[in-house]
């Protein structure tokens, strides 16, 4: 079951959308402004779901995924990438790095909440 979510995005408006939608749906949400801050949070506390942007300063979403997957406590944790990229090469790279899936921006908050719920059902 998914209870706590780490949401990483360098866009303040995107973080606000994620916080609002997921909190209203009953999830505990921790926000990070880039991959480096996201890794700090992820290593300090385990999250049931990680949402990350792809293009961020300091540590990219792709590198974040690789580093999380190298940590035994995040081997099975769902990691979703929220991105404007639709190119197939990015999807292949994300899959190879260990991403569970991706959603193209702009993200529909209702669809995201439904997806988090569905992932929670598969994580039981």
């Amino acid at each position: 079951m998914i209870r706590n979510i780490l949401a990483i995005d360098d866009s303040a408006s995107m973080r606000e959308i994620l916080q609002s939608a997921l909190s209203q749906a009953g999830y505990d949400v921790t926000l990070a402004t880039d991959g480096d801050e996201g890794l700090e949070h992820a290593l300090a506390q385990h999250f049931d779901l990680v949402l990350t942007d792809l293009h961020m300063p300091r540590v990219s979403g792709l590198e974040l995924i690789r580093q999380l997957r190298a940590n035994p406590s995040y081997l099975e944790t769902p990691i979703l990438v929220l991105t404007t990229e639709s190119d197939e090469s990015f999807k292949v790279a994300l899959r190879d790095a260990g991403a569970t899936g991706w959603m193209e921006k702009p993200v529909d908050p209702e669809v995201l909440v439904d997806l988090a719920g569905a992932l929670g059902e598969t994580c039981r």
Side-chain angles (χ1 to χ4, degrees):
M1 174 181 257
I2 292 176
R3 290 191 181 109
N4 58 349
I5 298 173
L6 175 59
I8 310 159
D9 201 297
D10 58 327
S11 164
S13 60
M14 188 65 196
R15 288 191 308 273
E16 189 175 309
I17 290 167
L18 296 173
Q19 174 77 48
S20 177
L22 295 167
S23 294
Q24 287 178 19
Y27 296 103
D28 293 325
V29 181
T30 299
L31 300 174
T33 59
D34 60 39
D36 194 46
E37 184 181 351
L39 281 171
E40 288 176 24
H41 285 300
L43 296 177
Q45 171 189 348
H46 183 78
F47 293 90
D48 303 318
L49 171 63
V50 176
L51 304 173
T52 184
D53 187 14
L54 181 58
H55 299 293
M56 297 181 290
R58 301 196 307 167
V59 174
S60 72
L62 195 58
E63 183 56 31
L64 171 85
I65 295 166
R66 289 182 182 127
Q67 289 190 38
L68 287 176
R69 290 298 188 218
N71 183 319
S73 65
Y74 281 96
L75 288 176
E76 301 296 324
T77 303
I79 301 174
L80 294 178
V81 178
L82 310 176
T83 183
T84 57
E85 293 291 346
S86 60
D87 187 87
E88 191 63 31
S89 64
F90 280 104
K91 293 175 183 176
V92 170
L94 292 171
R95 194 175 309 120
D96 289 348
T100 306
W102 51 86
M103 290 182 71
E104 288 187 28
K105 292 180 181 178
V107 171
D108 180 327
E110 288 182 24
V111 172
L112 180 61
V113 167
D114 289 346
L115 184 55
L119 286 169
E121 292 296 317
T122 63
C123 293
R124 288 184 172 188

